[in-house]
């Protein structure tokens, strides 16, 4: 598959924001993905492009290094075009993010997802994340209730980075 990864740029924002709700199964996600990631967090944000489709963006990951604890990196959004799922694009994006985070001195990556997003939970577990303890459970997955927004529950994930993550350039 002629998929290439590169850092995100501001010009990637309009085509991504047009499809983000659709990629999330028509959930209203666009308001939670501000342009600032493509402007101010380029060193920890990546897009996957299909060279055979004129460089069309078919996946992205946006995140940052914590200002509070520079040993922690945080993934805000990761998404792959439904037509490109199940062939390692999400994994490649995460490996590239892990490598960048390790290179910036991070020792762990954090992320949160909705308890209803079974695909995201399975993906994070497959990528080596573990769910952090919560105050409730949803289908045996620990959940932090009243965590984000208007009472939204979240599964909180953590993945420890090692020096091996530096070697991966996926
Ligand atoms: C989650 C998502 C990014 C995965 O992207 P992807 O390119 O299909 O993932 P990959 O093909 O790289 O899969 C990597 C691993 O995760 C597993 N996985 C991915 N999606 C899965 C799913 N829906 N159910 C079960 N396992 C899944 C794969 O089996 C694979 O595991 P393996 O290496 O043991 O075989 C993609 O499904 C997506 O964009 N979903 C909608 C947006 C979203 O919910 N994002 C996450 C919350 S911010």
């Amino acid at each position: 598959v002629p998929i290439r990864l590169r850092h995100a740029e501001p010009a990637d924002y309009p085509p991504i924001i047009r499809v983000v709700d659709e990629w999330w199964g028509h959930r209203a996600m666009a308001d939670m993905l501000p342009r600032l990631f493509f402007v101010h967090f380029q060193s920890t944000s990546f897009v996957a492009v299909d060279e055979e489709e004129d460089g069309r963006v078919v996946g992205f990951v946006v995140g940052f290094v914590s200002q509070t604890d520079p040993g922690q990196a945080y993934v805000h959004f990761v998404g792959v075009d439904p037509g490109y799922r199940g062939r390692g694009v999400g994994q490649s994006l995460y490996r590239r993010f892990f490598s960048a985070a390790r290179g910036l001195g991070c020792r762990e990556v954090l992320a949160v997802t909705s308890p209803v997003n079974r695909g995201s939970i399975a993906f994070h577990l497959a990528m080596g994340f573990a769910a952090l303890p919560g105050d409730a459970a949803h289908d045996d997955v620990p959940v932090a209730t009243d965590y984000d927004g208007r009472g939204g529950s979240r599964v909180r994930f953590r993945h420890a980075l090692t020096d091996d993550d530096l070697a991966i350039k996926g």
Side-chain angles (χ1 to χ4, degrees):
V1 191
I3 304 295
R4 185 172 66 87
L5 302 194
R6 60 166 172 76
H7 282 284
E9 298 167 6
D12 296 319
Y13 186 69
I16 287 175
I17 209 68
R18 273 199 294 274
V19 297
V20 69
D21 288 0
E22 186 192 324
W23 285 12
W24 260 256
H26 297 280
R27 290 168 60 199
M29 305 302 288
D31 289 348
M32 289 191 278
L33 182 62
R35 183 187 291 264
L36 66 86
F37 284 94
F38 298 78
V39 178
H40 296 294
F41 293 101
Q42 290 183 14
S43 58
T44 48
S45 298
F46 300 91
V47 296
V49 300
D50 185 341
E51 300 284 22
E52 284 187 351
E53 283 206 33
D54 232 7
R56 182 167 76 82
V57 173
V58 297
F60 69 96
V61 59
V62 295
F64 54 86
V65 176
S66 172
Q67 302 272 303
T68 306
D69 180 351
Q72 296 181 329
Y74 182 86
V75 174
H76 179 58
F77 266 40
V78 56
V80 172
D81 184 318
Y84 288 75
R85 288 186 192 161
R87 45 166 124 160
V89 176
Q91 169 164 301
S92 299
L93 285 162
Y94 254 8
R95 287 197 188 288
R96 180 62 76 87
F97 182 89
F98 293 169
S99 170
R102 194 76 188 93
L104 292 167
C106 297
R107 59 180 193 282
E108 60 185 356
V109 177
L110 304 176
V112 306
T113 200
S114 287
V116 295
N117 197 338
R118 310 311 294 178
S120 174
I121 291 168
F123 172 70
H124 282 89
L125 293 175
M127 291 296 90
F129 285 79
L132 293 172
D135 60 351
H138 182 99
D139 292 349
D140 288 336
V141 180
V143 161
T145 59
D146 202 9
Y147 187 80
D148 258 341
R150 296 184 183 86
S153 299
R154 295 291 184 270
V155 182
R156 300 182 306 136
F157 283 111
R158 174 183 179 274
H159 171 66
L161 296 171
T162 68
D163 286 340
D164 289 346
D165 289 302
L166 263 183
I168 297 160
K169 292 289 178 233

